[in-house]
Amino acid sequence: MKRIYIIIVLTAIFAGIFAGCEDQEDTWEEYAGNGRIRYTGKCTDVSLKLGWESVVVSWKNTLDPNRENILIEWVGGEQTGDSLLTKDMESCTIKNLGNVTYTFRVYAVDKEGRRSLGAEAYGRPFSMAHEALNGFTPVVTKCFPLGEDKLVLYFDRWQNTLAAASLRYYKKSSPNELVTLELTDTDSILKQRYYVVDNIDVNKEIAVERKGQLQELPGVDIVFNSLPLDVHQRVFNSDFVREIQTHYFIDELDENFINTVEVLEFDYDLSTLEDLFYFPNLKKVVLGKNRYLYEAYKDAVKQSVLADTAASRFALEVLHELQGVEVERYNKHYFPKPLSVLKEQGYSQVPTTLNYFTAEGITVSPSDQTGYNAHPEFLLDNNQATIWNPQQINSFRQHELLIDLGKVETVSGFKVAQDATSPISSPWDTKHNFRPSLLKVLVSKDQASWEGATFDEDNEIGNTAGEITLLRMKQPKEIRYVKITVSDQAYYANFGIILADFVAFSE
């Protein structure tokens, strides 16, 4: 009986399945009309090659006999467009595009106009407004009016992407005559790096014209928009400004200082001296006067250097030849090779007119470790043969020294002397690695209030063997206490510092 029941159930199930299949086919026929819906094969691997205000769209077609056309649509911002192509095409150039990011969609289309699923790609073509153009050489990096009818040009380094460049300006002697000076012709003014344009009206429009290619877009010559030169805008190098500020105690290089200063002094490393062109009444430039090298070592120690010696040499030579500016140089600072424009002054000596104060005492923090004496009192003895030399350790320290002059004195500045271990007879002595080049100096009358001694609390000092630096205050001050902060110098895993003298003086 159970077996009969099972056979009946199975028979019913199979009958239902076959009946259901037939009904499903009827359903397809009912909703698909004349037959099953067939989709056109989708395009694949869409890619973009960005061009100048144009894009080349590429893709791959699938094998599909029903494909009749290819349709490309694009949209970017408010701009839209489309293009209907023949069925076997696999690339298309779209032109007259703007400075926006576009969405490109590629469809395969059958004979009845039905589209495949779309394939997308996104891209922004190059144009005059594209930021890539901002990185193209400006050709002229700096310009300086010189007198009434000259302009000094400093050029960018030559780039292979630059095809042509010219300078457009009006003649000073003929106000309505427009001149085009070719910078990239056979003799190539541009490759000289610096140039003086004569007979130019610096108060009229001056512009650079450029033609070239972007590295991202090789083979396409671009005529760039004219680049106006604001010849009266000053763009100083920061280290140049800092050197002047600290030497002359000025907060900024204002019009009055720029237009009236006649003598400028420089002592420490600089990027370049080209900014000297900004000073119309400059009469003299003094180099290295305030670095008092140890006489016996003056030819063996590092001198002040320039990052761009050639640009600085050109500036001094032009200023000397055309403006009559004198250039005095002490020791061998800035120019390792002879330079005809330099008036050599030899060895710079500490003035003999200084009156030194004998301090009453000095305290140091952190203090010496038990059993070690760094002799901070040697800083006060005005004797370069004795040194303050804290014990070297394996961790960094910042030392604070408090000097008491004993009573209120009228002080003009401070003499800072480095250890004079010989770099000639003892070049491997580790003392050479622990001379500081920077220290902070505060002064006070009563220790209740403190103020910076110089223009900046942080003072650069010469750190060659035996070198002396005079830290002058803007004007003499009545003080009793001096607070010095100086940091350890690192040499491999050792931290230490060494200094010979720190003595107050009047003059």
Side-chain angles (χ1 to χ4, degrees):
M1 184 69 181
K2 184 181 293 185
R3 180 179 300 172
I4 294 172
Y5 175 76
I6 292 173
I7 292 172
I8 292 172
V9 171
L10 291 175
T11 302
I13 291 173
F14 282 113
I17 290 173
F18 288 118
C21 289
E22 182 134 0
D23 290 343
Q24 182 67 46
E25 186 68 31
D26 292 341
T27 302
W28 283 340
E29 293 292 341
E30 179 181 352
Y31 288 97
N34 296 327
R36 299 177 183 177
I37 297 174
R38 188 182 188 287
Y39 292 97
T40 308
K42 177 182 177 181
C43 300
T44 62
D45 298 336
V46 178
S47 63
L48 304 179
K49 182 180 180 182
L50 303 177
W52 185 256
E53 299 179 346
S54 65
V55 169
V56 177
V57 185
S58 300
W59 63 92
K60 290 183 179 179
N61 293 324
T62 55
L63 293 174
D64 191 335
N66 291 325
R67 184 177 64 249
E68 185 69 17
N69 295 101
I70 299 294
L71 175 66
I72 299 179
E73 293 182 342
W74 60 91
V75 58
E78 297 180 356
Q79 184 181 5
T80 61
D82 59 54
S83 183
L84 190 63
L85 310 173
T86 58
K87 64 179 181 179
D88 294 324
M89 290 187 66
E90 290 190 325
S91 69
C92 177
T93 301
I94 302 172
K95 300 181 178 180
N96 301 318
L97 298 176
N99 181 42
V100 295
T101 299
Y102 288 85
T103 300
F104 298 89
R105 296 186 181 94
V106 182
Y107 304 92
V109 183
D110 67 13
K111 295 178 181 180
E112 296 183 8
R114 291 189 293 256
R115 302 181 183 183
S116 68
L117 296 175
E120 292 185 352
Y122 309 89
R124 178 173 163 226
F126 294 95
S127 66
M128 281 297 179
H130 199 288
E131 62 273 7
L133 273 69
N134 297 333
F136 192 76
T137 174
V139 178
V140 175
T141 56
K142 260 187 173 181
C143 56
F144 310 87
L146 192 63
E148 296 294 326
D149 62 351
K150 294 179 178 61
L151 184 68
V152 179
L153 302 176
Y154 274 61
F155 298 123
D156 196 6
R157 294 189 179 275
W158 179 267
Q159 295 184 10
N160 292 330
T161 53
L162 180 66
S166 61
L167 185 74
R168 179 167 47 81
Y169 63 92
Y170 288 90
K171 274 189 176 182
K172 178 70 174 178
S173 61
S174 181
N176 295 321
E177 184 178 348
L178 184 63
V179 178
T180 298
L181 176 65
E182 296 295 336
L183 303 177
T184 51
D185 57 9
T186 304
D187 295 330
S188 189
I189 291 173
L190 188 58
K191 289 186 177 180
Q192 298 179 29
R193 289 193 62 194
Y194 330 102
Y195 189 75
V196 180
V197 183
D198 201 2
N199 194 14
I200 180 173
D201 192 335
V202 296
N203 295 311
K204 285 191 174 182
E205 180 186 358
I206 303 172
V208 176
E209 308 292 346
R210 301 165 297 160
K211 179 181 178 181
Q213 300 179 1
L214 297 177
Q215 289 183 348
E216 303 92 334
L217 196 60
V220 178
D221 285 332
I222 303 168
V223 178
F224 291 82
N225 293 330
S226 294
L227 186 63
L229 296 183
D230 186 352
V231 300
H232 298 293
Q233 181 185 25
R234 303 186 186 102
V235 183
F236 285 98
N237 290 298
S238 59
D239 57 348
F240 183 92
V241 172
R242 195 65 180 166
E243 182 83 356
I244 292 176
Q245 287 177 320
T246 55
H247 190 87
Y248 295 94
F249 291 87
I250 57 174
D251 292 325
E252 61 177 313
L253 274 63
D254 57 20
E255 291 295 323
N256 180 62
F257 181 85
I258 290 171
N259 292 321
T260 59
V261 69
E262 295 185 351
V263 179
L264 287 174
E265 298 185 5
F266 301 93
D267 296 301
Y268 296 100
D269 295 354
L270 289 171
S271 55
T272 174
L273 292 171
E274 63 195 35
D275 290 346
L276 290 171
F277 282 119
Y278 285 132
F279 300 87
N281 291 302
L282 189 63
K283 300 291 189 295
K284 182 187 291 187
V285 178
V286 183
L287 305 176
K289 177 182 178 181
N290 302 297
R291 287 197 64 178
Y292 304 103
L293 304 182
Y294 199 79
E295 186 172 11
Y297 312 148
K298 66 181 188 300
D299 295 324
V301 297
K302 181 178 178 292
Q303 312 271 320
S304 295
V305 298
L306 293 160
D308 195 337
T309 305
S312 303
R313 182 177 65 245
F314 177 81
L316 294 181
E317 289 175 341
V318 170
L319 286 168
H320 178 71
E321 179 181 350
L322 300 181
Q323 301 292 93
V325 175
E326 295 183 3
V327 185
E328 295 181 353
R329 195 266 294 266
Y330 288 80
N331 293 299
K332 301 298 180 184
H333 294 297
Y334 297 115
F335 297 96
K337 297 180 180 180
L339 190 60
S340 61
V341 72
L342 299 178
K343 295 178 67 176
E344 301 291 0
Q345 304 298 306
Y347 168 68
S348 182
Q349 300 186 49
V350 176
T352 58
T353 56
L354 303 182
N355 300 305
Y356 298 104
F357 295 101
T358 302
E360 184 175 277
I362 182 172
T363 57
V364 180
S365 176
S367 57
D368 293 332
Q369 297 180 7
T370 303
Y372 186 87
N373 189 353
H375 293 290
E377 71 277 7
F378 287 165
L379 290 169
L380 312 177
D381 63 6
N382 203 19
N383 179 2
Q384 209 163 2
T386 60
I387 59 173
W388 170 58
N389 187 11
Q391 188 175 20
Q392 295 177 24
I393 60 175
N394 60 5
S395 60
F396 176 82
R397 296 164 299 187
Q398 192 172 65
H399 304 268
E400 185 175 282
L401 299 86
L402 179 62
I403 297 175
D404 182 2
L405 298 180
K407 61 179 181 176
V408 174
E409 301 281 8
T410 302
V411 176
S412 300
F414 307 95
K415 172 186 171 183
V416 185
Q418 298 281 8
D419 160 68
T421 300
S422 174
I424 301 172
S425 61
S426 304
W428 307 113
D429 194 309
T430 57
K431 292 189 183 70
H432 296 303
N433 303 296
F434 297 107
R435 299 188 187 97
S437 60
L438 198 71
L439 49 80
K440 180 183 293 187
V441 183
L442 301 175
V443 294
S444 175
K445 196 172 184 177
D446 54 10
Q447 293 195 77
S449 61
W450 295 87
E451 61 179 319
T454 57
F455 175 81
D456 196 341
E457 288 184 2
D458 293 318
N459 299 273
E460 185 174 7
I461 59 174
N463 69 339
T464 63
E467 184 171 352
I468 291 174
T469 302
L470 298 181
L471 298 178
R472 287 186 168 88
M473 294 189 281
K474 184 176 182 179
Q475 57 190 15
K477 294 181 180 181
E478 290 190 347
I479 64 170
R480 175 174 174 176
Y481 301 98
V482 184
K483 185 185 294 182
I484 305 141
T485 304
V486 63
S487 299
D488 274 342
Q489 307 300 297
Y491 180 65
Y492 291 100
N494 296 322
F495 293 86
I497 192 165
I498 186 170
L499 196 63
D501 291 318
F502 190 97
V503 183
F505 66 81
S506 64
E507 55 183 344

